[in-house]
Amino acid sequence: MTRQADLLVLGAGPAGTEAALAASEAGLDVVLIDEQADAGGQGWRAPLSGLTLPRKGPDAEAGDALRARLAASRVDRRFGRRVWSIGGAFRLDAAGPDGPEAYQAPRLIAATGAHERVVPFPGWTLPGVIGLAGATVLLKAQAVLPGRRVVVAGSGPLLFAVAAGIIAKGGEVAAIVDMDNRLAWAKRLPGLARRFDLLKEGLGWTWSILGARVPFLAGYGVRRATGETELSSVIVGPVDANGAPADGTERSFDCDALAVGHGLVPGGEVPKILRADHFYDRLRGGFIPELDPFGRTTIENLYACGDGTGIRGARPSAAAGRLAGLAAAYDAERLDERTFDALAALSLKALADYRPFADTVAAAMALRPAQVAAITPETIVCRCEDVTRAEIDAAVDAGAGDINQMKHFTRCGMGPCQGRMCGDVAAELVAQRRGVPRDEVGFWTQRVPLRPVPFDTMIGTFDYADIPIPPPAPL
Amino acid sequence: MSLVRVTNGVTRPAAVTFDVDGVSVSAPAGEPLATALAVAGLLTLRDSPRNGAPRGAFCHMGLCQECVVSVDGRTVQACLTPVRDGMTVNLGGTLK
């Protein structure tokens, strides 16, 4: 059975949920689909069912408010669904809790969010090394510490959120290792101060970190992680303002966990599969779709919003989601121009108000070319296929000019994560080796399955009696 | 070593018990399997296909596939699979 609707929204983070609510309020029959068990995305993720925490942070409260509004709405909520196929104008196939499902609507909003970028270093594949974003999921949604003694390293505000989260829950942070030096953060203060509520949250993290007397290494990066079968220590060293290793003394920290991240990459597979036009934007995290101010892509009736269209953060994503939902309702002639203009004006203003803050944070999380240039030859870049930097360089030297050719030469990006973990860094390596801008090496040609699914999940259960056997061809 | 469940002020669902390669493991019902295994000290979930190096859960949000294991004979991502009473988990080499 195919569920027919006026609008499908894929992804139930702040962007997708607000899009679904706006369109539903305007009268569209909306289906909202997500892989997780509830709405909220990664940042505003709902705690596990049955788990209660002693106190809630601002993100938990924002998530609860969003989920309460969704529960009171007419939006058809389909959680725990893994969408694996997408077709034009617009059909989604999903693996649901009871087997295969299909959805069809003339309009689609892609709100698939972002995933983490970790610029590789020796030892990053050791068990015990996890992403900063993964650590936030453990802390916020599961009340679990990433380890008994944790090094928190990388760049951007997630560093401080994770370190403060570990301290608040009674865990031990062995060290905080920030690629930015103090001057870099001082320069960002005017931009951060534009959202005083969020700056205050950040200062609260800093305060708890200072109170815990955690070693704080500003202007340092991870050189390597070591251990036999699991992580046992992290070696860090100074980096310059561009993220390249600098002269100076290395320091080693014994630990059983390393939470590390170097920003976020837009997860924009849906507009790529449907061949919307894209462009490269380093500040926004990678290749992102060309959009009008309301989230319309270059494909008719395909909209996109949220961090999948460029890294901005949860609150701006919510505003962008609202705009996409309104645009879908307007294009479906469920809103007149005056109402649309009036409703959209509020979200357009919110988006503009967030922009200086969002740009400042995005800059702290953007890919640093000098950090990528410093990846050592033997370092694994593609985790799925164990492809090293030296093999990527060799492929380029042998004539692989773009990211897809490099994939064919090396199998980099061909594994089950489908290039999500390595793609951004691998493309940067190809561009640097060739000495050309990132645009010229492109990105993976996106294809289904959108996510890997076992074959039996795709086809569901059947009996041999269900298989039609055609009559034999006449001889 | 392992992940650590926060106990101070946190209430969780009752524990369930499941089998991991013949060993009985307990965890709160509904906790992601990747978390439950790591709390039990089982950080290594499989070996990488080419150089055989140990791998464990990395992204904890359903993307990286490092935590793929076999549960009741089906290939699943441990970070997206809630633990259930009586489930049978096999670690090691499901992506080889």
Side-chain angles (χ1 to χ4, degrees):
Chain A
M1 270 283 279
T2 302
R3 165 73 163 93
Q4 302 281 344
D6 294 329
L7 170 68
L8 303 178
V9 181
L10 183 55
T17 306
E18 288 288 1
L21 286 169
S24 173
E25 284 156 16
L28 291 187
D29 175 22
V30 182
V31 180
L32 175 65
I33 309 168
D34 199 289
E35 192 168 62
Q36 299 294 339
D38 209 339
Q42 300 302 343
W44 293 358
R45 206 190 239 244
L48 289 181
S49 174
L51 183 140
T52 55
L53 299 162
R55 56 182 175 277
K56 288 183 174 175
D59 286 349
E61 284 168 12
D64 286 349
L66 189 75
R67 286 182 284 275
R69 284 169 54 219
L70 183 63
S73 77
R74 292 187 309 180
V75 174
D76 183 357
R77 304 176 288 279
R78 304 290 180 110
F79 296 123
R81 266 75 174 183
R82 166 159 283 203
V83 173
W84 59 269
S85 174
I86 180 163
F90 290 101
R91 180 192 156 104
L92 300 179
D93 287 282
D98 303 314
E101 298 176 354
Y103 301 91
Q104 199 277 328
R107 293 161 207 90
L108 173 67
I109 297 180
T112 49
H115 53 262
E116 193 150 57
R117 175 195 303 117
V118 178
V119 176
F121 49 85
W124 78 303
T125 55
L126 276 170
V129 180
I130 66 169
L132 279 177
T136 65
V137 170
L138 292 174
L139 289 163
K140 286 186 190 174
Q142 305 181 28
V144 165
L145 299 168
R148 295 188 189 282
R149 197 174 137 79
V150 189
V151 171
V152 181
S155 51
L158 266 183
L159 264 181
F160 305 102
V162 167
I166 292 170
I167 292 163
K169 290 187 162 51
E172 184 188 356
V173 178
I176 300 168
V177 184
D178 186 356
M179 295 195 71
D180 282 314
N181 55 37
R182 287 181 175 81
L183 182 64
W185 282 107
K187 283 181 182 163
R188 291 186 188 124
L189 272 176
L192 299 176
R194 293 288 294 274
R195 288 298 314 192
F196 186 69
D197 52 338
L198 299 179
L199 174 65
K200 211 174 98 187
E201 193 181 352
L203 291 173
W205 298 334
T206 312
W207 187 250
S208 77
I209 290 164
L210 288 172
R213 298 180 183 279
V214 175
F216 181 75
L217 288 89
Y220 274 71
V222 174
R223 294 270 162 90
R224 59 196 175 276
T226 65
E228 286 297 316
T229 56
E230 291 173 8
L231 176 74
S232 60
S233 73
V234 174
I235 291 96
V236 306
V239 295
D240 67 19
N242 298 316
D247 290 340
T249 315
E250 291 186 346
R251 291 186 61 179
S252 175
F253 294 92
D254 291 339
C255 59
D256 63 341
L258 167 62
V260 59
H262 303 107
L264 302 175
V265 180
E269 293 89 349
V270 171
K272 287 194 187 105
I273 282 182
L274 295 170
R275 304 295 184 255
D277 291 341
H278 283 69
F279 65 102
Y280 181 74
D281 185 338
R282 186 173 296 271
L283 178 69
R284 293 272 166 250
F287 276 92
I288 54 177
E290 277 178 25
L291 299 177
D292 82 352
F294 307 99
R296 295 182 182 98
T297 70
T298 53
I299 303 291
E300 196 174 7
N301 293 327
L302 174 66
Y303 311 79
C305 53
D307 279 347
T309 67
I311 305 306
R312 285 180 183 78
R315 290 162 181 87
S317 290
R322 200 136 195 98
L323 288 169
L326 292 171
Y330 174 75
D331 295 346
E333 298 180 353
R334 300 297 179 94
L335 287 177
D336 62 56
E337 194 165 348
R338 258 179 84 170
T339 315
F340 172 71
D341 285 345
L343 293 172
L346 294 171
S347 297
L348 285 169
K349 180 174 186 309
L351 210 49
D353 287 347
Y354 275 115
R355 188 169 180 121
F357 181 90
D359 284 0
T360 305
V361 172
M365 300 175 97
L367 183 68
R368 297 161 201 238
Q371 187 189 4
V372 174
I375 296 172
T376 55
E378 73 284 1
T379 302
I380 287 171
V381 175
C382 166
R383 298 172 67 98
C384 295
E385 300 283 341
D386 286 332
V387 178
T388 63
R389 190 237 161 106
E391 289 172 302
I392 293 171
D393 286 346
V396 176
D397 295 348
D402 68 25
I403 182 94
N404 287 302
Q405 286 175 325
M406 190 278 286
K407 175 177 175 175
H408 298 150
F409 280 38
T410 62
R411 295 189 61 81
C412 177
M414 214 177 271
C417 96
Q418 302 172 288
R420 288 179 175 91
M421 291 294 117
C422 64
D424 189 48
V425 169
E428 183 76 14
L429 283 168
V430 173
Q432 289 187 7
R433 190 76 175 180
R434 284 190 56 207
V436 299
R438 270 291 289 276
D439 311 55
E440 278 192 40
V441 305
F443 204 76
W444 319 118
T445 302
Q446 206 78 48
R447 295 187 182 91
V448 297
L450 207 52
R451 292 283 173 93
V453 278
F455 195 63
D456 61 346
T457 305
M458 284 189 206
I459 59 178
T461 51
F462 65 91
D463 202 271
Y464 275 103
D466 299 334
I467 304 173
I469 301 171
L475 290 172
Chain B
M1 220 159 66
S2 60
L3 305 194
V4 184
R5 283 190 200 100
V6 179
T7 50
N8 194 13
V10 179
T11 57
R12 297 175 193 273
V16 295
T17 304
F18 51 98
D19 180 283
V20 184
D21 292 338
V23 177
S24 181
V25 174
S26 284
E31 184 169 72
L33 177 60
T35 302
L37 291 170
V39 170
L42 298 165
L43 279 185
T44 299
L45 304 181
R46 63 184 187 92
D47 298 332
S48 72
R50 194 165 162 213
N51 64 18
R55 294 292 176 84
F58 180 65
C59 82
H60 283 281
M61 58 178 70
L63 286 163
C64 76
Q65 315 287 324
E66 292 281 29
C67 69
V68 166
V69 298
S70 170
V71 173
D72 296 333
R74 294 175 64 90
T75 301
V76 301
Q77 283 164 266
C79 73
L80 294 179
T81 305
V83 296
R84 293 184 318 272
D85 208 33
M87 67 201 290
T88 302
V89 183
N90 287 296
L91 307 181
T94 48
L95 282 181
K96 276 180 192 171

